[in-house]
């Protein structure tokens, strides 16, 4: 159990991390965003519910670290047509909470987010519950896990080719 | 134009090497397509493996309409319209489940999962009514081919076998990839919505001209051999099976490679359990041939696309609004193969897919493009002068030729001209 002082300090560090991640995503800072991940990172956007088994059922995104890297490489080619021109994005992140500590020592965090996307098709609003596992690596916070639970993940979704 | 052409006028919009842009954008033509195609011919609805047990159900669709696919207590698969026969309320609100009956939440009418009306609330007041005339609507004809369930609202017309014609063989070719000879649809669907006419999707599925350009971003970074299949030097072919069914046949390229599982970017060594099961099921030589040839890339008109490792179902909602339902194919008795099929499918398709998100971007841009009035026509003449017939008499051409689009539009015209 963290003391009140250390908990407040951790909350400050975690909040700063999540705000930074949001800004890097909004501004398509692909390489800087990729650098936030640990070597064992998992980036998961379930479909058809919040707690499906991604090893058995289809997810919108279920990237291990190497596929995260491939996704970024594709965006960096500048020929990922659905991001040429890039979506204009701004997201609000709120309700950041520290959850129970993981046995592994990873820090469990949850937040809500709402993203406004303006693309060639139209303007689209995305809303999600985000769950993170963060870890200190060489004194810096990193993401080991990010799960994005879209509010409308049971419905037919428009193309989602930016970093959610 | 907003006026449905008379039978004699479709030829003015559909010519051998070009089609009129209004065919993608005119709401009146979309309504006519619902009547002449979606609510008449055989349309793929679901797979028997989605309702494996008695009383299982799953909600599917035919065009914009909600259809409940049930397996009743006798084991029969039914396609029921999701519409109470009393006031039209939807009787089923969940995507899937297990239920002997559906009770309408409005006035508590209850229907058995074969569609029969079994009871209504406060039965006094209904004296003399014939319950058998108040059943749930049914898709008139229901038939399966190797587990793939199709429905037709027309009481008469071609049988499913006649509709599938030569394309049935592609489904036979697919199910061989299960050591038990069966496909399973058990991984759940990604539902990807696009603001585009459904026919842009339909035509793109066997368009071998675009991959080198639309997918260059992923071919360039993914160390994938897929890109080479669609180049100018490729020996792969496009095929028109008639009835609107089209194929990209990649077997010539895979046979040149002569390496089992090369079509899937892997090797027998990396799938030892699958390879052993295939050899036990088919014998060494036959299994080797199957695993060299690879699965088909076939578009069964109007809505079932089998794309090597995944299955798409095209759903039109409006003239400019469509959903691509997509799932990983799963082969019965092939757990190690199935895991890879799921992983590859999740990576490539759906709203965030490394491949399909870019295709969908093209559909939407084409749709906005055809709203411009000039030059009016969509040109489909690529490869017209080098078409030939294969040994079975089907038209074939180079993998980048527009034989599939021409075949689709020729069949489309014949359907739309029928009264």
């Amino acid at each position: 159990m963290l003391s009140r002082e250390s908990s407040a300090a951790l909350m400050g560090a975690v909040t700063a991390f999540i705000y930074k991640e949001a800004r890097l995503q909004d501004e398509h800072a692909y390489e800087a965003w990729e650098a936030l991940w640990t070597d064992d990172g998992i980036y998961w956007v379930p479909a058809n519910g919040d707690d499906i088994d991604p090893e058995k059922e289809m997810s919108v995104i279920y990237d291990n670290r190497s596929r995260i890297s491939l996704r970024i490489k594709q965006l960096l080619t500048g020929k990922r047509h659905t991001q040429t021109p890039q979506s204009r994005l701004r997201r609000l992140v709120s309700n950041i909470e520290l959850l129970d500590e993981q046995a592994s020592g990873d820090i469990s965090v949850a937040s809500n987010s709402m993203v406004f996307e303006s693309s060639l098709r139209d303007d689209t609003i995305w809303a999600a519950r985000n769950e993170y596992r963060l870890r200190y690596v060489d004194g810096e916070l990193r993401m080991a896990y990010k799960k994005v639970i879209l509010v409308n993940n049971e419905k037919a979704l428009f193309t989602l080719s930016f970093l959610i | 134009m907003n006026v449905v052409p008379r039978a004699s006028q479709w030829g003015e919009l559909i010519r051998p090497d070009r089609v009129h842009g209004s065919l993608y954008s005119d709401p009146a033509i979309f309504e006519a397509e619902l009547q002449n195609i979606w609510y008449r011919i055989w349309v793929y609805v679901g797979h028997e493996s989605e309702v494996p047990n008695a009383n299982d159900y799953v909600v599917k669709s035919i065009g914009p309409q909600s259809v409940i696919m049930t397996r009743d207590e006798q084991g029969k698969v039914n396609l029921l319209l999701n519409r109470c026969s009393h006031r039209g309320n939807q009787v089923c609100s969940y995507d899937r489940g297990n239920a002997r009956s559906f009770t309408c939440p409005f006035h508590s009418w209850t229907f058995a999962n074969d569609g029969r009306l079994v009871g209504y609330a406060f039965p006094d007041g209904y004296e003399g009514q014939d319950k058998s005339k108040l059943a749930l609507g049914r898709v008139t004809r229901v038939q399966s081919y190797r587990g793939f369930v199709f429905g037709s609202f027309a009481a008469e017309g071609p049988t499913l076998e006649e509709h599938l014609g030569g394309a049935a063989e592609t489904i036979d070719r697919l199910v061989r990839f299960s050591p038990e000879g069966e496909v399973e649809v058990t991984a759940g669907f990604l539902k990807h919505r696009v603001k585009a006419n459904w026919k842009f999707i339909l035509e793109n599925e066997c368009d071998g001209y675009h991959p080198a350009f639309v997918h260059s971003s992923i071919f360039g970074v993914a160390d994938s051999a897929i890109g080479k299949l669609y180049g100018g030097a490729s020996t792969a072919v496009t095929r028109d099976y008639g009835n609107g069914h089209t194929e990209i046949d990649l077997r010539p390229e895979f046979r040149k490679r002569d390496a089992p599982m090369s079509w899937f970017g892997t090797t027998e060594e990396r799938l030892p359990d699958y390879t052993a099961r295939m050899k036990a099921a088919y014998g060494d030589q036959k299994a080797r041939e199957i695993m060299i040839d690879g699965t088909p890339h076939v578009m069964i008109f109007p809505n079932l696309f089998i794309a090597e490792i995944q299955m798409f179902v095209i759903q039109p909602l409006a003239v400019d609004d469509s959903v691509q339902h997509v799932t990983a194919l799963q082969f019965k008795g092939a757990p190690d193969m199935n895991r890879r099929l799921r992983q590859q499918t999740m990576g490539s398709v759906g709203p965030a897919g490394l491949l399909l998100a870019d295709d969908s971007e093209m559909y939407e841009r084409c749709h906005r493009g055809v709203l411009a009035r000039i030059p009016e026509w969509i040109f489909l003449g690529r490869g017209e002068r080098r078409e030939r017939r294969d040994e079975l008499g089907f038209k074939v051409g180079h993998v980048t030729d527009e034989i599939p689009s021409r075949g689709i539009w020729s069949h489309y015209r014949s359907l739309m001209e029928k009264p």
Side-chain angles (χ1 to χ4, degrees):
Chain A
M1 196 66 187
L2 292 164
S3 70
R4 190 171 299 172
E5 292 73 21
S6 62
S7 174
L10 180 61
M11 184 66 173
V14 163
T15 302
F17 179 89
I18 287 177
Y19 285 170
K20 179 180 173 188
E21 194 229 342
R23 175 170 47 80
L24 296 177
Q25 291 184 306
D26 284 346
E27 296 177 359
H28 305 282
Y30 302 128
E31 288 161 302
W33 182 79
E34 187 185 350
L36 299 179
W37 287 95
T38 60
D39 292 343
D40 59 348
I42 297 282
Y43 179 32
W44 182 27
V45 182
N48 303 309
D50 301 349
D51 286 307
I52 62 160
D53 178 353
E55 292 290 337
K56 295 275 165 64
E57 295 172 80
M58 301 292 291
S59 291
V60 176
I61 295 174
Y62 185 51
D63 286 358
N64 59 13
R65 186 63 186 80
S66 106
R67 192 168 279 165
I68 291 170
S69 174
L70 184 61
R71 192 174 290 282
I72 297 304
K73 283 199 189 97
Q74 185 187 25
L75 289 163
L76 287 169
T77 62
K79 294 176 185 166
R80 170 66 156 164
H81 299 291
T82 178
Q83 282 300 317
T84 55
Q86 290 172 332
S87 297
R88 295 265 295 160
L89 300 168
R90 277 298 156 191
R91 75 193 71 200
L92 302 175
V93 180
S94 74
N95 304 57
I96 298 172
E97 285 183 280
L98 297 176
L99 304 179
D100 292 341
E101 282 178 82
Q102 298 277 311
S104 62
D106 287 358
I107 305 155
S108 281
V109 182
S111 68
N112 293 347
S113 66
M114 188 168 281
V115 189
F116 185 87
E117 179 195 16
S118 187
S119 69
L120 284 184
R121 181 201 322 104
D122 207 343
D123 297 343
T124 311
I125 292 173
W126 303 86
R129 169 83 169 167
N130 300 326
E131 295 175 2
Y132 296 85
R133 285 205 296 271
L134 306 181
R135 185 185 305 159
Y136 276 106
V137 178
D138 299 331
E140 300 275 341
L141 277 176
R142 294 273 186 273
M143 279 190 290
Y145 175 88
K146 182 181 182 186
K147 176 182 177 186
V148 180
I149 305 168
L150 297 168
V151 170
N152 57 345
N153 71 18
E154 308 218 18
K155 293 190 178 163
L157 303 173
F158 287 121
T159 293
L160 197 176
S161 55
F162 60 89
L163 299 172
I164 182 73
Chain B
M1 50 190 265
N2 291 315
V3 175
V4 180
R6 292 191 306 276
S8 59
Q9 293 175 323
W10 287 98
E12 293 168 23
L13 299 176
I14 302 165
R15 297 180 186 170
D17 68 346
R18 66 197 65 206
V19 295
H20 198 264
S22 63
L23 292 163
Y24 299 90
S25 61
D26 185 336
I29 287 180
F30 179 77
E31 290 301 318
E33 289 170 352
L34 290 181
Q35 302 307 323
N36 282 20
I37 298 175
W38 295 90
Y39 302 156
R40 189 162 75 183
I41 71 165
W42 289 103
V43 172
Y44 174 73
V45 180
H47 194 273
E48 288 177 10
S49 60
E50 295 178 82
V51 285
N53 305 308
N55 304 321
D56 282 347
Y57 72 87
V58 59
V59 174
K60 295 289 178 178
S61 57
I62 295 181
Q65 303 203 5
S66 173
V67 172
I68 315 167
M69 183 167 83
T70 67
R71 188 181 289 278
D72 63 30
E73 303 225 341
Q74 282 69 47
K76 185 172 158 238
V77 173
N78 305 273
L79 300 179
L80 308 174
L81 278 292
N82 192 2
R83 171 193 171 131
C84 181
S85 53
H86 176 220
R87 298 294 296 269
N89 205 311
Q90 292 198 309
V91 297
C92 183
S93 309
Y94 292 93
D95 288 341
R96 56 172 57 243
N98 184 277
R100 286 168 195 272
S101 61
F102 300 96
T103 298
C104 178
F106 197 5
H107 299 93
S108 207
W109 284 34
T110 296
F111 302 88
N113 59 14
D114 60 4
R116 282 176 299 121
L117 174 63
V118 292
Y120 21 50
F122 313 146
D124 56 313
Y126 284 127
E127 293 83 0
Q129 286 296 338
D130 181 356
K131 275 195 192 141
S132 71
K133 297 203 167 96
L134 292 167
L136 287 178
R138 305 179 63 89
V139 176
T140 314
R141 289 188 293 163
V142 181
Q143 212 182 321
S144 293
Y145 187 79
R146 294 187 174 270
F148 293 83
V149 180
F150 293 77
S152 165
F153 280 109
E156 291 174 15
T159 63
L160 178 60
E161 283 74 13
E162 286 165 344
H163 168 70
L164 292 174
E169 186 265 336
T170 61
I171 298 178
D172 301 342
R173 222 191 287 158
L174 175 72
V175 299
R176 298 182 311 174
F177 277 79
S178 156
E180 299 177 32
E182 284 184 46
V183 163
E184 294 184 310
V185 177
T186 50
F189 280 83
L190 294 179
K191 290 162 280 189
H192 187 177
R193 187 172 169 201
V194 287
K195 293 297 285 178
N197 187 265
W198 65 277
K199 298 186 294 300
F200 284 121
I201 308 172
L202 167 72
E203 289 181 89
N204 192 62
E205 310 300 29
C206 288
D207 173 275
Y209 196 13
H210 78 277
F213 317 107
V214 175
H215 304 305
S216 63
S217 65
I218 195 65
F219 293 159
V221 297
D223 189 27
S224 159
I226 300 175
K228 294 189 190 74
L229 301 172
Y230 296 99
S234 172
T235 56
V237 299
T238 46
R239 180 171 289 115
D240 170 10
Y241 278 110
N243 290 350
H245 311 314
T246 57
E247 179 183 26
I248 292 178
D249 188 349
L250 299 165
R251 286 176 293 181
E253 284 292 301
F254 295 132
R255 285 175 184 171
K256 269 200 305 192
R257 291 184 190 173
D258 197 33
M261 302 309 290
S262 158
W263 67 274
F264 190 37
T266 189
T267 59
E268 290 180 292
E269 289 69 36
R270 289 163 76 180
L271 287 167
D273 185 42
Y274 178 68
T275 301
R277 287 176 192 229
M278 288 293 282
K279 288 183 172 170
Y282 298 102
D284 286 8
Q285 185 54 34
K286 184 72 186 164
R288 182 181 155 81
E289 285 169 21
I290 293 171
M291 290 191 290
I292 286 172
D293 279 355
T295 49
H297 183 117
V298 63
M299 179 67 230
I300 308 280
F301 187 87
N303 69 332
L304 172 62
F305 178 37
I306 292 161
E308 285 102 337
I309 63 169
Q310 60 239 167
M311 183 177 96
F312 285 69
V313 186
I314 301 171
Q315 181 188 17
L317 292 175
V319 67
D320 62 350
D321 198 357
S322 310
V323 179
Q324 304 167 89
H325 301 254
V326 57
T327 189
L329 288 164
Q330 302 280 273
F331 294 115
K332 192 170 186 184
D336 55 340
M337 179 67 173
N338 287 342
R339 181 169 189 281
R340 275 173 184 263
L341 289 163
R342 290 192 298 269
Q343 295 294 338
Q344 296 262 355
T345 297
M346 276 189 258
S348 57
V349 300
L354 303 176
L355 284 166
L356 256 291
D358 289 320
D359 289 301
S360 298
E361 187 68 27
M362 297 301 124
Y363 311 148
E364 293 187 338
R365 293 186 194 182
C366 282
H367 195 98
R368 293 194 295 273
V370 294
L371 298 177
R373 300 179 65 232
I374 298 169
E376 293 192 51
W377 296 88
I378 305 273
F379 183 64
L380 301 171
R382 183 175 168 78
E384 209 180 12
R385 292 186 185 172
R386 56 183 183 186
E387 287 182 6
R388 60 184 199 280
R389 297 273 175 178
D390 68 11
E391 60 279 12
L392 294 173
F394 298 120
K395 273 187 201 167
V396 291
H398 186 257
V399 69
T400 62
D401 286 351
E402 282 165 334
I403 280 184
S405 277
R406 291 193 291 273
I408 286 166
W409 282 107
S410 163
H411 183 60
Y412 176 97
R413 180 179 164 184
S414 72
L415 293 172
M416 299 304 280
E417 282 175 342
K418 274 188 198 166

